[in-house]
């Protein structure tokens, strides 16, 4: 089928001729210009053609403004200072950074949709006086519904805090724009708004050297774009080319994909005839492919390309709905693919240079300088990092040259790592500038956390020749482009459309009333991208993940189901499976290194549990020292609750309860519960977020606060008792047989809490291990603790191992205790561990009773771990593979 841009090129030459030098062609993004240029030149090279000027919509707005787009880091720093001045809050910059980005995004949305900030951010207490004459009936209804639900007279601490912030948003918004403008800066939305307002007021003039602006391939328009388009059209200086299909954007269609195009056609018209827009339901070969994992989809790319790569490779596209598949897709490309153009950015923190930076800060931050704020010290730290990055980049370049002379190195990989060093070097120099300017008055620890956060948000753009070779891109980058053969990966619900929520300080109903972007808008935009991409293709393969997950079974995208139900297209459906099975994994073995005892001079309870879970995982983690990338600070992981609770509980007891007297009485706890209140407990949780380098989350805070209250209520039943330590590191030596000799291996653990309590009239040392998830465990016998199983009592084993480290030094009996805080509300709850079958189970309140047998079993297990004759093998239990970070590596073995 004829590509959309070919129609545009032919129409421009027919209407304007070959001299397009006084024409500006504007696209939503940058990429389509080279393709349009090729179509304008065509096969006739004998006739001269004056090319138009190509601009993205953002470039066009910037060309009409005397302001520059503000640097994102500096904009957040500026917003941070303004926020603190107006609210009086004292959050650290790294803690505020995520909030700041959201607040900037809100202000950007307000300006791009030309909402009145004075009315939007109005004090909610004035709602009875709200003048709604400027709203239509539907907007007024939505506003009244919101304000009735969010009454300022209904009190709650969370609501009061939100209202306090809301009532400061207008002065923060005004102050931010004034401060940036004074320095010649503006964030994007404010810059756009000023351009439109100045044009309409006659304060800005259109370039007299431009006869017309040609807008190509737009879909959803912000209000500022609508105003600009209308302004130029009224002056006879605008032409519009919309890319759509009558199936979803025709006058008789109500498909969500065409909701914005239908409106645009009505407002601005179209230069192309409607008869070229009937392609979607004709001449298509479409197949849906179900795959059990994302990685299997990536590995299927090579087979698909062997069959479907077009002779002109740029007519074939691999579209990634899940951007994390970029790296496995690159590694899966077959040798016959010589030229590749990648337009999807690669996450900077997935490159080795990120680990280099983390190691650098780990080495340079210590107890003496962690709270250092002197600008010279901070500058020296970043200048030294810049030098290190330069040296490492030179080494990589030298190594790459030598390697390319002797081996077939991956050009993409070489360029990727070189660009990664350049990107982080650029960020490092940017931080140096901000420190020199006094805009980052932070401690070294805080500035490191901020630097890490910025790196996580940075991607490496791939530069190449867009009009040559196989095209690998994200969904957004496909705008205006048509392909003959398309492979779409991860077309699963949640990936396309993306799970969307109004992550905003502005509530949904207010966003709806004032015409701001909502999740419904975003879904409609994704629907347009989907249908537009496939409308002129000849062959389309859509792969999706069909695997079960803890959240339920993965499903294909709703858009795929719509194709099946709403179109007459014949669609082939099939599935692919993973050829690697658990059997092949479990038969693989890694020989143990001869110096293994030297590598394992210390073992932790978690390491022993890992070995029992899977010996290969133990090898990868403890011997090869492979590690997962650190998750983003914003990500709520399964262990986030536990991490925050452990730190908050430690802070609570060491700060308020034991700084004067280690004896905890009922009166102490009751008084603390009465006096502390939610604010004090939340203060400990908030500090725990900072200490653990996890971005603050209000939901987690409320849950952990309730857990702390539950802990105190349970401790009331124990009082009086004595806290002996929190987060206490303990260890004990173990003699382990090794060949004809014995060696010493240290068992080392970190105990959550050690306290001295009264159990049946006996002073007993409790080894308390906090748990914020999982089920209460028991064990049938000691042997079960050291036997690999699908469901292994690893919590019990871990707590017994902690108890063993104290056995030889404690003058009191030791009681191992698993405190499941989410279960502790039950009246009959006991944290003590039961050993034995249900009828004959006994409660372990004196670890000495079982210590001898336990030590024997442990010694036997560690002897097996270090035995050079027994290789490391994979677990036979597939359940342990479900969330293993080394699963793909295990498959490759």
């Amino acid at each position: 089928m004829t590509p959309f841009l070919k129609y545009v090129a032919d129409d421009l030459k027919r209407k304007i001729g070959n001299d397009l030098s006084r024409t500006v062609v504007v696209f939503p993004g940058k990429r389509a210009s080279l393709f349009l240029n090729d179509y304008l030149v065509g096969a006739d090279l004998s006739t001269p053609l004056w090319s138009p000027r190509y601009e993205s919509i953002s470039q066009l707005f910037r060309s009409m403004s005397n302001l520059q787009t503000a640097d994102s880091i500096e904009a957040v720093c500026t917003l941070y200072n303004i926020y603190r001045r107006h609210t009086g809050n004292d959050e650290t910059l790294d803690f505020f950074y995520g909030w700041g980005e959201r607040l900037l995004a809100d202000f950007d949305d307000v300006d791009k949709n030309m909402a009145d900030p004075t009315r939007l951010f109005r004090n909610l207490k004035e709602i009875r006086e709200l003048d709604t004459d400027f709203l239509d009936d539907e907007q007024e209804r939505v506003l009244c519904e919101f304000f009735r639900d969010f009454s300022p007279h209904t009190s709650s601490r969370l609501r009061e805090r939100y209202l306090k912030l809301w009532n400061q948003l207008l002065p923060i918004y005004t102050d931010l724009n004034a401060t940036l403008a004074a320095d010649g800066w503006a964030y994007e939305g404010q810059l756009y708004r000023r351009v439109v307002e100045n044009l309409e007021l006659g304060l800005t003039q259109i370039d007299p050297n431009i006869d017309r602006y040609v807008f190509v391939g737009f879909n959803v328009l912000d209000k500022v774009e609508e105003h600009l388009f209308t302004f130029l059209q009224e002056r006879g200086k605008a032409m519009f080319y919309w890319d759509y299909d009558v199936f979803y954007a025709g006058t008789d269609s109500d498909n969500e994909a065409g909701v914005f195009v239908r409106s645009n056609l009505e407002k601005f018209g179209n230069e192309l005839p409607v008869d070229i827009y009937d392609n979607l339901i004709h001449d298509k070969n479409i197949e849906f492919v179900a795959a059990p994992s994302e990685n299997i989809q990536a590995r299927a790319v090579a087979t698909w390309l062997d069959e479907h790569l077009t002779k002109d490779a740029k007519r074939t596209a691999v579209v990634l709905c899940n951007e994390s598949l970029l790296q496995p897709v690159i590694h899966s490309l077959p040798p016959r693919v010589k030229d590749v153009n990648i337009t999807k950015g690669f996450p900077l923190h997935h490159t080795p240079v990120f680990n280099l930076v983390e190691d650098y800060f780990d080495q340079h931050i210590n107890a003496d300088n962690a709270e250092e704020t002197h600008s010279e010290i901070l500058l020296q730290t970043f200048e030294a990092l810049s030098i290190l990055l330069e040296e490492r980049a030179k080494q990589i370049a030298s190594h790459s040259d030598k390697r390319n002379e002797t081996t077939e190195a991956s050009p993409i990989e070489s360029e990727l790592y070189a660009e990664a060093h350049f990107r982080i070097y650029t960020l490092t120099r940017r931080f140096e500038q901000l420190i020199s300017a006094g805009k980052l008055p932070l401690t070294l620890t805080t500035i490191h956390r901020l630097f890490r956060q910025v790196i996580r948000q940075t991607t490496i753009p791939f530069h190449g020749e867009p009009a040559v070779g196989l095209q690998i891109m994200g969904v957004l980058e496909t705008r205006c482009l048509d392909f003959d053969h398309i492979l779409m990966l991860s077309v699963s619900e949640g990936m396309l459309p993306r799970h969307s929520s109004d992550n905003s300080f502005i509530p949904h109903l207010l966003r709806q009333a004032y015409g701001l972007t909502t999740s419904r808008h975003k879904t409609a935009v994704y629907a347009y991208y989907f249908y537009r991409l496939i409308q002129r293709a000849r062959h389309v393969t859509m792969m999706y993940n069909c695997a079960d997950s803890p959240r339920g079974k993965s499903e294909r995208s709703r858009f795929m189901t719509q194709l099946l139900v709403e179109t007459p297209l014949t669609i082939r459906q099939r599935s692919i499976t993973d050829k690697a099975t658990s059997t092949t994994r479990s038969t693989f073995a890694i020989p143990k290194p001869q110096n293994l005892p030297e590598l394992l001079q210390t073992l932790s309870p978690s390491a022993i549990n890992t070995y029992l879970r899977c010996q290969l995982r133990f090898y990868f983690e403890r011997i090869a020292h492979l590690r997962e990338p650190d998750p983003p600070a914003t990500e709520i992981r399964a262990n986030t609750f536990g991490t925050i609770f452990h730190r908050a509980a430690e802070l609570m007891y060491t700060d308020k309860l034991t700084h004067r007297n280690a004896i905890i009485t009922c009166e102490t706890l009751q008084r603390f519960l009465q006096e502390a209140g939610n604010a004090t407990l939340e203060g400990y949780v908030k500090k725990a977020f900072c200490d653990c380098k996890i971005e603050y989350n209000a939901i987690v805070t409320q849950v952990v606060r309730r857990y702390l209250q539950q802990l105190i209520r349970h401790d009331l039943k124990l009082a009086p008792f004595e806290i002996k330590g929190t987060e206490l590191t303990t260890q004990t030596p173990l003699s382990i047989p090794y060949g004809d000799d014995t060696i010493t291996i240290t068992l080392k653990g970190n105990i959550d809490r050690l306290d001295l309590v009264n159990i049946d009239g006996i002073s007993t040392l409790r080894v308390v291990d906090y748990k914020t998830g999982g089920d209460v465990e028991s064990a049938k016998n000691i042997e079960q603790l050291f036997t690999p199983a699908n469901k292994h009592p690893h919590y019990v084993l871990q707590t017994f191992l902690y108890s063993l480290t104290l056995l030889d030094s404690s003058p009191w009996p030791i009681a191992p205790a698993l405190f499941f805080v989410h279960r502790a509300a039950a009246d009959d709850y006991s944290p003590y561990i039961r050993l034995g079958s249900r009828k004959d189970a006994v409660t372990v309140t004196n670890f000495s009773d079982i210590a001898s047998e336990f030590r024997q079993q442990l010694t036997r297990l560690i002897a097996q771990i270090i035995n050079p004759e027994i290789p490391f093998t994979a677990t036979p239990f597939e359940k342990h593979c479900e969330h293993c970070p080394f699963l793909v590596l295990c498959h490759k073995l």
Side-chain angles (χ1 to χ4, degrees), residues 22 28 65 83 88 193 197 210 224 246 266 297 325 378 428 509 536 547 566 571 686 724 733 762 805 813 862 876:
R22 296 175 64 87
S65 175
Y83 167 84
R193 184 172 194 154
E197 291 174 345
I210 302 301
V224 287
V246 293
E266 184 178 341
Q297 295 180 53
L325 284 182
L378 300 179
T428 304
L509 289 175
R536 296 185 184 87
E566 299 176 4
I571 298 175
K686 184 177 177 181
K724 290 293 185 180
I762 301 173
T805 64
I862 297 178

Side-chain angles (χ1 to χ4, degrees), residues 486-524:
I486 299 171
L487 171 62
M488 300 179 68
L489 301 181
S490 298
V491 196
S492 304
E493 191 66 20
M495 290 293 178
L496 191 73
R498 286 276 186 182
H499 285 306
S500 181
S501 61
D502 293 332
N503 189 10
S504 165
F505 286 98
I506 304 174
H508 174 80
L509 289 175
L510 284 182
R511 301 184 71 83
Q512 184 180 345
Y514 283 88
L516 306 183
T517 305
T518 64
S519 56
R520 182 173 296 181
H521 281 75
K522 296 173 186 176
T523 300

Side-chain angles (χ1 to χ4, degrees), residues 478-490:
T478 64
R479 291 174 297 182
C480 300
L481 303 180
D482 295 303
F483 303 97
D484 293 333
H485 293 175
I486 299 171
L487 171 62
M488 300 179 68
L489 301 181
S490 298

Side-chain angles (χ1 to χ4, degrees), residues 244-254 258 262 265:
Y244 67 96
D245 192 276
V246 293
F247 169 78
Y248 61 83
T251 54
D252 58 345
S253 173
D254 60 355
R262 287 191 292 271
L265 287 168

Side-chain angles (χ1 to χ4, degrees), residues 771 773-778 791 794-795 818 820 822-823:
K771 299 299 177 188
D775 297 324
V776 176
E777 283 186 352
S778 61
K791 189 174 182 180
H794 57 294
Y795 292 155
L818 282 169
F820 288 86
H822 57 301
R823 309 282 188 185

Side-chain angles (χ1 to χ4, degrees), residues 86-214:
H86 284 281
T87 64
N89 293 341
D90 58 354
E91 288 89 358
T92 59
L93 178 56
D94 66 308
F95 186 78
F96 171 82
Y97 199 86
W99 292 4
E101 289 183 311
R102 292 172 200 159
L103 199 52
L104 272 178
D106 282 341
F107 291 164
D108 186 76
D109 198 14
V110 167
D111 286 332
K112 283 184 177 176
N113 287 287
M114 303 192 75
D116 185 342
T118 303
R119 293 180 181 273
L120 174 61
F121 298 133
R122 190 164 186 164
N123 190 322
L124 299 192
K125 293 180 181 177
E126 301 172 10
I127 184 55
R128 294 183 183 275
E129 306 167 14
L130 184 65
D131 177 13
T132 58
D133 291 343
F134 71 102
L135 302 170
D136 59 33
D137 292 342
E138 175 62 16
Q139 289 174 317
E140 187 171 349
R141 182 194 65 77
V142 169
L143 271 181
C144 290
E145 179 181 341
F146 169 74
F147 285 120
R148 183 173 62 251
D149 178 64
F150 204 101
S151 170
H153 305 295
T154 303
S155 178
S156 79
R157 186 166 178 273
L158 183 62
R159 189 174 297 230
E160 288 171 3
R161 290 182 63 186
Y162 178 78
L163 287 171
K164 180 181 177 182
L165 173 61
W166 180 270
N167 292 335
Q168 294 300 321
L169 286 184
L170 181 59
I172 290 173
Y173 168 90
T174 305
D175 199 352
L176 174 66
N177 282 305
T179 302
L180 291 176
D183 294 329
W185 300 99
Y187 55 84
E188 192 173 74
Q190 177 67 195
L191 185 148
Y192 288 11
R193 184 172 194 154
R194 291 191 182 213
V195 166
V196 168
E197 291 174 345
N198 288 341
L199 282 172
E200 293 174 344
L201 292 172
L203 301 177
T204 297
Q205 302 301 317
I206 302 173
D207 187 345
N209 297 315
I210 302 301
D211 292 336
R212 66 195 64 81
Y213 294 86
V214 180

